[in-house]
Amino acid sequence: MENLVALVVILLLLLLLGSLTLTMGDSGFETEVTYDGRSLIIDGHRRILFSGSIHYPRSTPQMWPALIAKAKEGGLEVIQTYVFWNLHEPQIGQYDFSGRYDLVRFVKEIQAQGLYVCLRIGPYIESEWTYGGFPFWLHDIPGIVYRTDNEPFKMYMQNFTTKIVSMMQSEGLYASQGGPIILSQIENEYQNVEKAFGEDGSQYVEWAAKMALGLKTGVPWVMCKQTDAPDPVINTCNGMKCGETFTGPNSPNKPALWTENWTSFYQVYGGEAYIRSAEDIAFHVTLFIARKNGSYVNYYMYHGGTNLGRTTSAYVITSYYDQAPLDEYGLLRQPKWGHLRELHAAIKSCSTTLLEGKQSIFSLGQRQEGYVFEEEGKCVAFLVNNDDVNMFDVQFRNRSYKLPPKSISILPYCQNVTFNTATVNTKSNRRVISPIQTFSSADKWEQFQDVIPNFDQISLISNTLLEQMNVTKHKSDYLWYTLRFENNFSCSEPILNIQSAAHVTHAFADNTYLGGAHGNHDVKSFTTEVPLTLNKGTNNISILSVMVGFPDSGAFLERRFAGLTTVEIQCSEGSFDLTNSTWGYQVGLLGEKLQIYEPSSNAVQWGPLGNTSNQNLIWFKTSFDRAKGDEGVALNLESMGKGEVWVNGQSIGRYWISFHHSKDQPSQILYHVPGSFLKDTENVLVLFEEEGGNPLHISLNTVTTTNTDD
Ligand SMILES: *[C@@H]1O[C@H](CO)[C@@H](O)[C@H](O)[C@H]1NC(C)=O
Ligand SMILES: *[C@@H]1O[C@H](CO)[C@@H](O)[C@H](O)[C@H]1NC(C)=O
Ligand SMILES: *[C@@H]1O[C@H](CO)[C@@H](O)[C@H](O)[C@H]1NC(C)=O
Ligand SMILES: *[C@@H]1O[C@H](CO)[C@@H](O)[C@H](O)[C@H]1NC(C)=O
Ligand SMILES: *[C@@H]1O[C@H](CO)[C@@H](O)[C@H](O)[C@H]1NC(C)=O
Ligand SMILES: *[C@@H]1O[C@H](CO)[C@@H](O)[C@H](O)[C@H]1NC(C)=O
Ligand SMILES: *[C@@H]1O[C@H](CO)[C@@H](O)[C@H](O)[C@H]1NC(C)=O
Ligand SMILES: *[C@@H]1O[C@H](CO)[C@@H](O)[C@H](O)[C@H]1NC(C)=O
Ligand SMILES: *[C@@H]1O[C@H](CO)[C@@H](O)[C@H](O)[C@H]1NC(C)=O
Ligand SMILES: CC(=O)N[C@H]1CO[C@H](CO)[C@@H](O)[C@@H]1O
């Protein structure tokens, strides 16, 4: 309570300061944001708020206005986003807030449409984002241990957090200044790793809360999945079923807020789409409001978007939460969007009674229960059927109601059902993919074979296998391990055996491809075993180790190991361990170094398209004119293997078609090209292909939706 008083005092001071220095936001009116045990209180009013995550770098500034408008129309009042440290501070002290990274523009766009913002600064964010959002230079700060009571880490975390808060303040973007930001988050799901740090972990939580409060944003802070969040920071729930799992606010003065209600789940290469039904989401949102007195629900994600470039964490596909109410392309996903919109309207029609009323709970059957909120003759009821299979008739206030299986009926006046979570009135739609451009004529393509480096051409040498992330510094997915091997003994039926803790291995000897293998999201290390032919004398062995994103979670991220761990030549006579031989290293591919994906590049001689089967490490290039009037266009890359793709010099991400899931299908074949990446004519398409895919069957498609009964 004392802290709350302090907060109010700080707030008042800020308001005073705000009006003195004229740093008020566009509206010119300061908004007071506080909270009590029931909800956030905005300008003196308790509020039930529906919120949705839209991450600004996962779409483009050209897409933001329409995405936000569709979120508003879907009944949301708040847009939630993380802040992406590694985009904003790629080198220490060098900041980038341009283009897709323009956080201020994003927040102002939300403000312009009259919505609020929940700003999750972290700055550790996880978010299936490479390295959990940390810039890799943090790794090389002497003595650093991330996310614990460690001076160097705390210094850089405070530095970046301060940078973001000051930036928002100087633009007048906090509600306390008349801006749209009503909540900020510090750290992220820290409780998942806290134990690993012992006493230092709890001290760090205290420090992080104090540090955040010291920035005097004038609006409340939250910590998600942190049951012991220090006062006045609010502990919030993340998960799919917070109506069942949330243990509640850690103080009677704090409201029940749900910062991540997963509308689906992220997908990895080798994995299948996770479909969460509109009915299931609606059930759990309503249960959270009815049973847990929930007053803030955020959909994670409301629009997932696209992991452009090399921004994903390990193995994650580029299409992010495509199953969200707004799909990857920003199109309404029905009936999800419409069903949730009706739910929001039903709740809002009775939110005053919910917020001011007294909750009572009663049993309606073995697996059925009722929640009633009453106040001065007004009344709202939720009738819950937890039975997954059976419809149930309940009696409530002398009337009978049929409750469909696993559903909740909302009765805004305790009489008539205005919404049932399992009764979907919205029509379904389905996605329509229409080819507008094919690339089937070979003479429109050019190719360039990347160079397999040999030991002699290498400058970085080490007498052991080096950790991959520490060598590449995230500048490339690719690290070459090369070796010169003197064959002066007898070895029959030689086999090259490679253990790797990275993601993909391709092995070459004397410029010939021997074979490769890959791991997966859940098993961190794998073996590549390929036969090889040994020359008498010198053999050049070159192994390309590939990462598909850096890890994003867990304690001691700074100590993670990736790359090759042992290399052996196994013969019938015995085996030769090459692990501690003299290895030469090359970071990245030649084509990357020369940036041959840039449209203006003339760094290499491109040749005609050759026989593409059985060829590895090939760059392909072509150009095309833009099809008219299309925002959502997608490349169908089904005929390709694995690699990365650029349009007009901008990477739209890594593709990986050859990695099939358990039903023997690729995890993702369509790759989003944002409309703003395209020009009217002469768009340059470049692909780097590791495995010998065939570019002649690529197509460019529009993505639209149609009602399922059309
Ligand atoms: C952050 O660190 C940089 C140096 O790396 C320094 O110039 C800057 O003033 C610091 N910012 C804050 C807010 O501490
Ligand atoms: C909800 O609020 C009521 C007061 O209206 C309180 O009695 C009850 O314990 C709260 N329920 C939860 C789960 O916090
Ligand atoms: C329900 O009916 C009983 C008698 O059948 C009556 O006493 C009671 O007041 C009624 N309750 C309501 C809420 O109408
Ligand atoms: C409930 O529905 C009945 C019948 O449609 C109607 O007469 C009544 O006014 C409704 N009650 C409320 C509170 O809307
Ligand atoms: C990372 O590489 C540097 C040399 O660039 C080396 O000094 C350091 O020990 C390496 N750190 C780890 C953790 O491997
Ligand atoms: C084979 O070559 C290695 C150097 O690569 C040398 O150390 C070793 O003594 C040689 N063995 C024989 C039997 O010549
Ligand atoms: C191995 O690489 C060196 C340096 O590039 C080259 O001179 C030599 O011919 C290669 N050996 C074989 C067998 O390809
Ligand atoms: C390689 O060297 C490291 C020490 O640098 C040692 O721990 C390891 O056992 C060696 N591996 C082999 C296979 O000799
Ligand atoms: C390409 O090469 C493969 C084997 O290397 C061969 O079977 C195929 O006929 C060749 N195709 C063309 C078009 O040359
Ligand atoms: C807190 C919570 O509800 N977590 C659940 C979120 O959903 C995943 C996947 O269904 C579950 O494994 C978690 O228990």
Side-chain angles (χ1 to χ4, degrees), residues 418-437:
T418 57
F419 183 83
N420 175 273
T421 59
T423 309
V424 177
N425 304 312
T426 304
K427 276 190 183 167
S428 301
N429 65 4
R430 108 190 120 74
R431 194 177 269 176
V432 181
I433 310 295
S434 318
I436 45 172
Q437 169 98 40

Side-chain angles (χ1 to χ4, degrees), residues 8-41:
V8 171
V9 170
I10 287 165
L11 225 127
L12 289 174
L13 281 174
L14 258 176
L15 293 184
L16 195 68
L17 206 74
S19 47
L20 285 177
T21 55
L22 295 172
T23 53
M24 287 180 297
D26 285 354
S27 74
F29 295 103
E30 304 89 345
T31 306
E32 185 191 47
V33 185
T34 58
Y35 59 80
D36 66 4
R38 187 65 188 94
S39 77
L40 291 175
I41 300 174

Side-chain angles (χ1 to χ4, degrees), residues 22-83:
L22 295 172
T23 53
M24 287 180 297
D26 285 354
S27 74
F29 295 103
E30 304 89 345
T31 306
E32 185 191 47
V33 185
T34 58
Y35 59 80
D36 66 4
R38 187 65 188 94
S39 77
L40 291 175
I41 300 174
I42 300 183
D43 276 341
H45 299 289
R46 284 181 177 160
R47 295 287 296 268
I48 289 184
L49 295 168
F50 292 100
S51 167
S53 289
I54 301 177
H55 294 157
Y56 53 99
R58 284 176 158 136
S59 55
T60 60
Q62 291 72 15
M63 292 172 71
W64 297 341
L67 294 173
I68 295 161
K70 287 174 186 175
K72 183 178 183 179
E73 203 189 331
L76 302 193
E77 291 112 332
V78 187
I79 303 295
Q80 184 178 288
T81 184
Y82 279 126
V83 177

Side-chain angles (χ1 to χ4, degrees), residues 347-367:
I347 296 288
K348 277 179 223 170
S349 73
C350 53
S351 60
T352 311
T353 314
L354 286 177
L355 288 166
E356 304 304 329
K358 198 166 156 21
Q359 182 203 46
S360 51
I361 306 170
F362 49 93
S363 170
L364 295 167
Q366 208 162 22
R367 303 198 58 201

Side-chain angles (χ1 to χ4, degrees), residues 484-489:
R484 194 163 56 193
F485 175 65
E486 291 300 327
N487 177 17
N488 56 5
F489 48 86

